[in-house]
C-alpha cells in the first residue's frame, strides 16, 4: 500500500512512522484512552497519508475505492465519541490542507482548507479584523473539517450558532474521487441542501477538503453577569426566559450544585449552589446585561464570569491528566462527559432522570445547562469516579453510557448535542433517528457503495 500511495502523492506524504501510527489510531475518547492506559493494543492504521491538495485527496480516494481500502479522515484527532479507530485503515490526515484561501471582507466570508486548526484560523482572521465565533473548548486541538464532520458547537453558540449556522459552503471529495463544490450564495431554494449531508457525516461519506465560513467583526465591549439560585429549577426557568427574550447573550451557562463545585474549585469561599454565568457583547451589552436583574435569582460575583473566560479551556489539560491516571482521582480515576439536548418542556424530566440514575453509578455527576435556544437547551453531564483498578473503571464507563443513553431516550432527549456519535453511541442511533436512519443507510450505500469511509462510525 505504501508504495502505491507514495506513487500517487509522493513518499513524503505517506508515513509508517511508529509514532504516527500510534497517534492516528486513536482520539480523545475516554474508553479508548483508558484501554491504552490499561496496556491494550489499539487498532493501528496501515499508514498515515497527508495529501496537500484536493486533487491529491481525490487521487487517494479513487485508489482506495478501487482497492477497497478503508480510509479514515483525521483532523485534530480530538473526537470524544470514538470517531477515529478503524483497524487496518489508511488514515488521511488533513493537516496539509491548511491554507486560508480567501478572506472576502465585503461579503464577510472566509474559505479555508479543512485541516486548518482553530488557533491558525483565529489568528488569520484577527489580522483582518474578523472572527468566526466558533470556539469549542477543544479549539486548539481541532480542525475546521473536524468541526464540520462532527456537527460541532462552540461555547459562544448563543450568539454565533453551531457550525451548521456558520458554514455557507463546502468542498468535498467522495469515495471514487469525485470532487463536489457548493456555490457561494447567501441562501437558495434549489432542492434539499445536499451539501449539508457532510455536516455531521463523521468521515463516513467522504472527505471535506474546504469550507466557506461566515465571519464578523469581533465585538468590542463585554458585560458579565452572575446570578445565583436556590434551586436548579429556578435557574432553568431563568435561562428559558433569557433564551426567549430579545437580550441576545453570547454565553449562558447554568451550573448545578455538583458542577458548580467543579467550576469553583479555585474559589473555596464561594457557595457551590446553582449559579448562572452570562456574557453580553456588542452594542448595548451593558444595558442588555442589566435587564437580566429581576428575572430571577440573586446577583452573584461577575468576576466568576471573567474567571470562566480565562480558564474555559483548562479542562483539556485536566482531562488528559485524569485519563493518564495523574489527576486528583488517582491512578485508576475515570472521567467522561455526556451532552444531551431537549426542549424546555422535556428538560426537567431529562435532567432529573439522568442525574438520579447516573449518580447511582459515579462518585460525582455534575451538570450544566448551556447552548440555549428559544425551544430548549443542552444538558452537559460530567461524570467522575475513582476506582480500584482499570478493569472496574472500564466497567463503570460502559455502565455510564448504557444508563445515560437509555435514560436520555426514555426522557425524550437527543443522545448528542455536539460531540457526535462515532462508534461510542452508534448502538442508540437507530432509536434516535427512527425512520430517518434507513434514509441515512441508503445515502451511505449510494455515496460509498464499497463502504471504504470510516466504517463503524454512525453505525454505518
Ligand atoms: C477536552 C475536549 C473538549 C471538547 N469540547 C468540545 C466543544 O466545546 N464543542 C464540540 O462541539 N466538541 C468538543 N469536543 C469534541 C471534538 O473536539 C469535536 O468533535 C471536534 O469537532 C473534532 O474535530 P477534530 O478536527 O479533532 O476531528 P477528529 O477527531 O480528527 O475527527 C472527528 C470525526 O470527524 C471525521 N473527520 C475529521 N476531519 C474530517 C474531514 N476533513 N472530512 C470528513 N471527515 C472528517 C473523522 O473521521 C472522525 O469521524 C471536545 C473534545 C475534547 C477532547
Amino acid at each position: 500500500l505504501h508504495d502505491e500511495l507514495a506513487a500517487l502523492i509522493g513518499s513524503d506524504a505517506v508515513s509508517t512512522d511508529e509514532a504516527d501510527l500510534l497517534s492516528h489510531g486513536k482520539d480523545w475518547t475516554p474508553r479508548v484512552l483508558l484501554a491504552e492506559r490499561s496496556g491494550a493494543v489499539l487498532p493501528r492504521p496501515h499508514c498515515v497519508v497527508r495529501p496537500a491538495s484536493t486533487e491529491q485527496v481525490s487521487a487517494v480516494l479513487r485508489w482506495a475505492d478501487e482497492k477497497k481500502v478503508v480510509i479514515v479522515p483525521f483532523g485534530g484527532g480530538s473526537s470524544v465519541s470514538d470517531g477515529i479507530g478503524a483497524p487496518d485503515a489508511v488514515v488521511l490526515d488533513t493537516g496539509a490542507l491548511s491554507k486560508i484561501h480567501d478572506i472576502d471582507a465585503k461579503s464577510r466570508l472566509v474559505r479555508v482548507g479543512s485541516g486548518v486548526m482553530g488557533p491558525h484560523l483565529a489568528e488569520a482572521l484577527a489580522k483582518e479584523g474578523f472572527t468566526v465565533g466558533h470556539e469549542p473548548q477543544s479549539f486548539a486541538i481541532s480542525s475546521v473539517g473536524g468541526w464540520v464532520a462532527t456537527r460541532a458547537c462552540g461555547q459562544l453558540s448563543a450568539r454565533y450558532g453551531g457550525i451548521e449556522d456558520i458554514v455557507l459552503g463546502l468542498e468535498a471529495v467522495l469515495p471514487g474521487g469525485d470532487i463536489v463544490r457548493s456555490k457561494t450564495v447567501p441562501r437558495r431554494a434549489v432542492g434539499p441542501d445536499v451539501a449539508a449531508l457532510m455536516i455531521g457525516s463523521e468521515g463516513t461519506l467522504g472527505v471535506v477538503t474546504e469550507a466557506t465560513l461566515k465571519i464578523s467583526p469581533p465585538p468590542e465591549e463585554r458585560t458579565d453577569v452572575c446570578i445565583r439560585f436556590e434551586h436548579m429549577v429556578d435557574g432553568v426557568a431563568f435561562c428559558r426566559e433569557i433564551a426567549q427574550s430579545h437580550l441576545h447573550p453570547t454565553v449562558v451557562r447554568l451550573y448545578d450544585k455538583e458542577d458548580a463545585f467543579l467550576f469553583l474549585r479555585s474559589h473555596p469561599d464561594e457557595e457551590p449552589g446553582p449559579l448562572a454565568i452570562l456574557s453580553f457583547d456588542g452594542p448595548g451589552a451593558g444595558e442588555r446585561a442589566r435587564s437580566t436583574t429581576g428575572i430571577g435569582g440573586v446577583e452573584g460575583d461577575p468576576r466568576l464570569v471573567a474567571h470562566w473566560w480565562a480558564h474555559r479551556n483548562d479542562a483539556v489539560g485536566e482531562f488528559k491528566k485524569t485519563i493518564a491516571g495523574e489527576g486528583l482521582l488517582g491512578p485508576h480515576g475515570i472521567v467522561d462527559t455526556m451532552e444531551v439536548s431537549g426542549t424546555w418542556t422535556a428538560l426537567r424530566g431529562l435532567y432529573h432522570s439522568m442525574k438520579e440514575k447516573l449518580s447511582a453509578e459515579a462518585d460525582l455527576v455534575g451538570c450544566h445547562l448551556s447552548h440555549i435556544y428559544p425551544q430548549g437547551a443542552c444538558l452537559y453531564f460530567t461524570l467522575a469516579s475513582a476506582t480500584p483498578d482499570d478493569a472496574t473503571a472500564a466497567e463503570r464507563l460502559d455502565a455510564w453510557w448504557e444508563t445515560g443513553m437509555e435514560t436520555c431516550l426514555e426522557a425524550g432527549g437527543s443522545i448528542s448535542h455536539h460531540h457526535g456519535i462515532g462508534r461510542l453511541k452508534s448502538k442508540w442511533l437507530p432509536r434516535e433517528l427512527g425512520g430517518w436512519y434507513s434514509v441515512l443507510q441508503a445515502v451511505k450505500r449510494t455515496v460509498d457503495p464499497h463502504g471504504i469511509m470510516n466504517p463503524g462510525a454512525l453505525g454505518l
Side-chain angles (χ1 to χ4, degrees):
L1 295 188
H2 177 278
D3 293 349
E4 293 181 38
L5 284 162
L8 284 177
I9 59 170
S11 54
D12 288 353
V14 185
S15 168
T16 49
D17 176 73
E18 188 63 13
D20 253 348
L21 298 185
L22 270 178
S23 61
H24 287 73
K26 61 175 182 186
D27 48 33
W28 284 59
T29 308
R31 79 170 183 192
V32 172
L33 296 177
L34 173 63
E36 187 181 41
R37 180 174 92 189
S38 319
V41 181
L42 298 182
R44 259 185 217 211
H46 266 302
C47 60
V48 178
V49 293
R50 294 186 169 85
S53 67
T54 302
E55 289 66 32
Q56 287 198 347
V57 175
S58 167
V60 172
L61 260 59
R62 192 176 316 116
W63 167 88
D65 203 41
E66 273 165 26
K67 302 271 171 179
K68 304 197 176 40
V69 172
V70 165
I71 298 285
V72 177
F74 185 104
S78 70
S79 164
V80 282
S81 305
D82 200 357
I84 294 294
D88 296 328
V90 168
V91 171
L92 190 153
D93 184 325
T94 57
L97 302 170
S98 58
K99 269 202 202 117
I100 310 280
H101 292 284
D102 181 32
I103 299 177
D104 179 348
K106 193 168 187 179
S107 300
R108 298 210 167 162
L109 292 169
V110 62
R111 185 167 61 87
V112 294
S114 62
V116 169
M117 302 290 281
H120 178 191
L121 179 62
E123 204 178 301
L125 287 177
K127 276 190 204 146
E128 305 294 325
F130 289 107
T131 177
V132 161
H134 179 75
E135 298 187 12
Q137 192 177 52
S138 53
F139 191 65
I141 55 169
S142 59
S143 68
V144 171
W147 300 341
V148 172
T150 57
R151 215 178 168 83
C153 197
Q155 293 158 329
L156 316 183
S157 68
R159 178 186 173 115
Y160 297 96
I163 196 69
E164 70 279 11
D165 301 305
I166 294 168
V167 167
L168 193 82
L170 291 173
E171 178 194 80
V173 179
L174 304 179
D178 283 352
I179 300 169
V180 286
R181 291 191 181 96
S182 17
K183 187 183 272 190
T184 307
V185 287
R187 184 182 191 271
R188 51 187 181 158
V190 290
D193 187 357
V194 190
L197 278 171
M198 295 309 288
I199 306 179
S201 61
E202 302 193 14
T204 62
L205 298 179
V207 178
V208 175
T209 43
E210 275 181 23
T212 302
L213 307 173
K214 300 172 194 171
I215 55 176
S216 55
E220 275 161 22
E221 52 171 314
R222 190 186 91 209
T223 307
D224 296 333
V225 178
C226 175
I227 313 264
R228 288 183 164 278
F229 302 93
E230 201 164 329
H231 303 291
M232 189 66 176
V233 65
D234 305 326
V236 174
F238 169 87
C239 290
R240 178 167 68 85
E241 278 224 23
I242 298 285
Q244 295 173 346
S245 73
H246 297 288
L247 296 177
H248 300 301
T250 297
V251 175
V252 177
R253 298 167 76 86
L254 168 70
Y255 297 87
D256 75 0
K257 196 172 176 188
E258 290 73 18
D259 220 44
F261 168 76
L262 293 175
F263 172 53
L264 296 171
R265 276 196 316 279
S266 52
H267 294 80
D269 300 340
E270 288 280 346
E271 265 293 305
L275 76 108
I277 60 169
L278 299 92
S279 285
F280 294 81
D281 56 29
E287 202 181 313
R288 282 183 285 126
R290 278 188 295 280
S291 306
T292 58
T293 52
I295 295 181
V298 292
E299 243 173 277
D301 186 348
R303 284 175 303 182
L304 293 178
V305 192
H307 172 80
W308 176 80
W309 278 95
H311 295 280
R312 64 194 167 120
N313 297 340
D314 289 2
V316 179
E318 287 165 15
F319 172 79
K320 239 320 128 68
K321 230 171 146 186
T322 303
I323 298 279
E326 293 160 7
L328 287 176
L329 295 171
H332 305 293
I334 190 68
V335 63
D336 211 335
T337 58
M338 278 173 207
E339 25 63 62
V340 300
S341 68
T343 60
W344 294 113
T345 310
L347 216 65
R348 191 173 179 178
L350 185 60
Y351 171 76
H352 285 294
S353 56
M354 286 193 65
K355 183 89 180 177
E356 188 192 322
K357 297 221 172 122
L358 290 169
S359 295
E361 292 172 6
D363 296 348
L364 184 128
V365 180
C367 178
H368 62 258
L369 179 153
S370 55
H371 307 290
I372 57 161
Y373 309 90
Q375 294 73 29
C378 165
L379 292 177
Y380 188 105
F381 291 89
T382 299
L383 298 99
S385 275
T387 66
D389 50 55
D390 282 353
T392 312
E395 278 168 24
R396 204 55 72 86
L397 266 184
D398 287 348
W400 289 352
W401 282 104
E402 201 63 39
T403 301
M405 296 296 92
E406 290 293 328
T407 310
C408 171
L409 285 168
E410 274 161 32
S414 171
I415 58 173
S416 178
H417 176 269
H418 58 266
H419 284 166
I421 297 296
R423 289 161 186 78
L424 179 68
K425 300 169 214 169
S426 61
K427 176 174 144 187
W428 294 281
L429 190 57
R431 268 167 71 199
E432 166 78 32
L433 291 184
W436 292 104
Y437 192 68
S438 51
V439 178
L440 180 63
Q441 287 174 310
V443 170
K444 170 74 174 178
R445 279 194 301 272
T446 307
V447 176
D448 182 20
H450 300 130
I452 61 160
M453 294 304 307
N454 202 13
L458 299 173
L460 297 171

